[in-house]
Amino acid sequence: IMSVCWLHRYVDQWDWEKVIDLSNRNEDYLMETVKSIYKAIYETHELMCSTYGITPCLPKDITFANTDEMLKKYPDATPKER
């Protein structure tokens, strides 16, 4: 008789939402929110890399770009290339 033990793996998904006051519904506030989320991701990435000997690959700061800026910078590129 042979018994088999299966290891079950799963991803625990957590959703969250941030309530944004009407006075904060602007681009600056959105960018600060994104920066704080990215900072948490970056710090976690750095910890995992140092713990497991992985070469870090994320930039320290996040860069924002919009469609108009990309169109001006790369006018001959397709939307996908931009």
Side-chain angles (χ1 to χ4, degrees):
I1 299 176
M2 183 167 77
S3 80
V4 177
C5 176
W6 293 96
L7 177 63
H8 295 282
R9 296 178 185 210
Y10 66 94
V11 174
D12 197 6
Q13 181 177 334
W14 293 74
D15 293 323
W16 63 276
E17 64 181 45
K18 181 175 186 172
V19 177
I20 302 174
D21 291 338
L22 189 57
S23 62
N24 288 329
R25 294 182 188 173
N26 57 63
E27 191 173 305
D28 290 336
Y29 186 80
L30 177 61
M31 289 170 71
E32 287 305 313
T33 300
V34 170
K35 286 178 186 177
S36 76
I37 294 168
Y38 184 78
K39 181 177 185 244
I41 292 169
Y42 177 81
E43 290 174 355
T44 302
H45 173 73
E46 289 291 303
L47 177 63
M48 293 287 100
C49 289
S50 65
T51 300
Y52 297 105
I54 302 167
T55 302
C57 62
L58 293 179
K60 183 168 175 103
D61 297 309
I62 192 163
T63 302
F64 295 93
N66 65 42
T67 304
D68 292 336
E69 291 170 352
M70 294 294 100
L71 183 56
K72 287 177 187 172
K73 190 171 182 176
Y74 306 105
D76 297 326
T78 66
K80 187 175 182 177
E81 292 170 329
R82 281 185 222 117

